Amino acid sequence: MYNKFIFSVSVSSAHAEDTKFLGPSWKKEPEDLILPIHSPEQEAILTCEASGVPSPQYRWSLNGTLIDLHGDERRRLSGGNLIITSLERDQDSGVYQCTASNTQGTILSQRATLQFAYLESFKMQTRSAVNVREGQGVVLLCGTPLHSGELTFTWVFNEYPHFVQQDSRRFISQETGNLYIAKVEPSDVGNYTCVVNNTITKERVFSSPTPLVLRNDGAMGEYEPKIELHFPDTIPAAKGSTLKLECFALGNPVPKISWRRTSDVSFPNKVKLKNSNAILEIPSFQQEDTGTYECIAENSRGKNAARGPTPHWLQTMTDKSLSIEENLFWECKANGKPKPSYSWLKNGETLISEGRVQIENGALSISSLNLSDGGMYQCVAENKHGIIYSSAELMVLASAPSFSQNPLSRVLKARSGCDVSLDCRPHASPRAISLLCDANKLSINFRISLFPNGTLKIANVTKRDGGTYTCIAKNQFGTASTTGRLIITARTSPTRISQGPSSTEITVGESIVLPCQVTADPALDVAFSWAFNGQPIDFHQDADHFERVGGSFSGDLMIRNIQLNHGGKYVCLIDTDVESLSTDAILVVKGPPSPPDLVVVEEVTDSTAQLSWSPGQDNGSPITGYVIQARTPFTVGWQAVDTVPEVINGNTLTATVVGLNAWVEYEFRVLASNSVGMGEPSPPSTKIRTEDAMPDTAPTDVGGGGGTKSELVITWEPVPEELQNGEGFGYIIAFRPVGMVTWTRAVISAPSVTRYVFRNDTIPPFSPFNIKVGAFNNRGEGPFSSIATVFSAEEVPRVAPERVSAKSLSAADIEVTWELIASTPERVLGYEVVYWEDDTKPDTVGKVRITGNYTAVNVSGLQGNTQYYLAVCAFNTAGTGPQSVPVNVTTKKPPPGQPPQNVEWNLIGSQLVLQWDPVIALETESEVTGYIVSDIISLHPENALGYLIRTLSEGGLGEGSEPIHIYQLSKSFPVAVFYFVFRRH
């Protein structure tokens, strides 16, 4: 009979029953939009997406006022996105904010501005002259007109299109639009006009000229740099964007600009310095690029510096789950200049510091939490540059104790002499307190320990320790208990692992068995399980790769078709009634490298691009090399490219791609390889366009000739677009008579043109010319093709052939003959016969052309018993000459249309006798003059012969009889001996 022991203990609070409700959290927040006033899409989409359980509901506000979407035909929600159609500048521009709510609380998004791009004209009033001394610095103000949308600025010097060229002495800010001249020289005197372009609307406006005049009181002496243009104190930069910082100084001598990070961290290779270092450009901005940047201007008289930090959160909030009556403390910190102010929101409403709720700067504390305190909280940091939000959820838990998730095992077995731990872990908020409920309560001694977390530990158990154990937990919301039975077994031989897995390396795609075998008391139940990287393996869900094999004392694990994600620590867990054992091994899976990342194009010329990238995982085998591929709009898929170094080893993370075409848009990707093979490619780089250059490819297949009188025709194969090297592409055509020195040139500005015709009455017919074709673009002229020789257009022959005659050969054929043209200044390439039926309509003609010095040709395919008129003329590349005097001839009557009938055959010895009825011609048909027996290809077995019989007449061959098939009796059967017998009527 087992004893019954009841024990109780104070238990730490834990989560309430898992309902898995989650307050909203942002996945996508709205961003600023600037659209043309007359946007062709006439639609704006403000994004808003949050996660949460249950799914959040969304609302939008405009300038602080809730938008009522009921009955609104122009505005609607798609998920959380606000879509606005038929945009109207007065109604739709402003500041938008999205609100996401569910049963757990409410959060507000960052604010986003919707603007409409426009650019007003400058006020056309005369600008005052700016008087400066030679050597003095000056800033010419643009005075940008009212606008919305991104602008670009240029300046015109004196008259359009003479633009100011920027160098170390002159700089045009794309932030202010102003023109900065570090040190004025006499050549700078003149009129300056600011030109403003709106990149969205494509509008361009010109200011009134600003005269720059030199004072006559002498040159200005040297002075130290004065930084007139520098970046603001705080600059928001989105991850992945391109950040540009401007800095320019006036001074004499002209200052030199340099940059540094105050943290003394060196600039990464991707950073670019442009316009004599006046612009610092950081492409693909990342978290590690944040910090303080310093611009230094220096000359022989001294130096000056400007610096500014980029803003970000220093400390943000995280979700919290606290029990009722506990205390909450949250703190958030942000940097910025000026120093930001803080406020707090609960479910989108402003929190007031009073009573249990205390707010001090960025810190929020709530004492003695109750259920109404649960919800979504946001910390708001704001200064004149903007506003940022940090969000988190507070869950206040209140529940009676429950053992539903962690009950005591119904039956526990332990071997005599071992140590036993019984865990009592209820869910309770607030924590449960101890409760004594029986006089037979558990006595605590040197062997039995009761810990504050609810664990009961019994050392060196004996049979007397067996029995029923009950844990009771209680708080103000209720009481719960759990009971388990402890059975003590006799001391036996321990369970031992006879074979466990060993660490090993394996290649992707292979299979392996990890052994796990034990020796144990046959009376014990042994259970095997496996864990991978700390998580149990689900053999049903992962059946494609994992399978447990073996008998009652074996739990071997088979892994099929191993993938990279199968590398890690495998633990075999062995559980018996009285103890648990484990054994583990590390499985290293080797495979091709993972894709490289962050492929950045750092420097581009007209034929090269310098790339850098980050390595991917080597997947168990060191990376041995990289291959770079490129893609353009003109290639089919990705192509390998040449690089410097030619072979990129695995330790190299930068290379220069060479042999690129100028003025072509490229994308690049990088592939890594190791001893296993080639890995998957990286994501493509940002598209870049190589710089333009003069053409380096000449047109091909240059030729020509032909045309009409006084013409020189020149043709060529056009240069493909990817080889044109820049804008403004065209062709230069050069030609000269053979033997002359001077070339005549013509220019064609259309890249797709393939033919040029030069017309001049002085060009002799069929005269040889040297020709060549070159290419040009806005950068200059490229190479010419090799010189080819073509002939100008020739004149048509002036003489008609004589002694033309025609003779009917059959019902369908006429033979035409003539005499060759003896002598003519024009070239004769051949002759053309023209024929027609009706002499009153000579335009209804057919033609037969023959090249060479021939004097006869057959005209075929004619109608029988029909009169035709025929004429002959000579031709060359210029066309046909005059026709001869027409002749006429009538074709023969057509042959009989009825084939021979009643064909019979008889074999007499080696002679074949054929018989048939004679064919009687109609009046409109030619008389039969004979018959012809023709061999045909028989479709019967190979020892069968085929024949058919046709009539002969002056009109030609008549219709054939039905085929007859004669079977050979032997291979000696003659096939060429016939006797013909005609039946007489």
Side-chain angles (χ1 to χ4, degrees), residues 761-805:
D761 292 339
T762 64
I763 297 179
F766 204 64
S767 178
F769 279 79
N770 291 332
I771 62 169
K772 59 182 180 179
V773 182
F776 72 92
N777 60 21
N778 288 346
R779 290 295 301 273
E781 294 185 11
F784 277 86
S785 65
S786 57
I787 297 174
T789 301
V790 299
F791 287 82
S792 61
E794 54 189 335
E795 293 182 343
V796 299
R798 302 180 189 178
V799 179
E802 296 181 346
R803 304 179 75 85
V804 176
S805 63

Side-chain angles (χ1 to χ4, degrees), residues 898-922:
Q898 181 179 353
Q901 301 288 333
N902 299 321
V903 179
E904 297 178 355
W905 64 275
N906 190 20
L907 187 61
I908 303 173
S910 61
Q911 296 179 345
L912 178 64
V913 178
L914 297 175
Q915 299 182 56
W916 61 88
D917 293 338
V919 176
I920 306 301
L922 302 177

Side-chain angles (χ1 to χ4, degrees), residues 3 59 79 132 250 383 403 410 542 625 637 667 772 791 893:
N3 294 323
R59 303 190 306 274
V132 295
L250 312 183
N383 66 10
F403 290 100
R410 189 173 59 87
D542 299 324
E667 292 177 279
K772 59 182 180 179
F791 287 82
K893 292 180 180 180

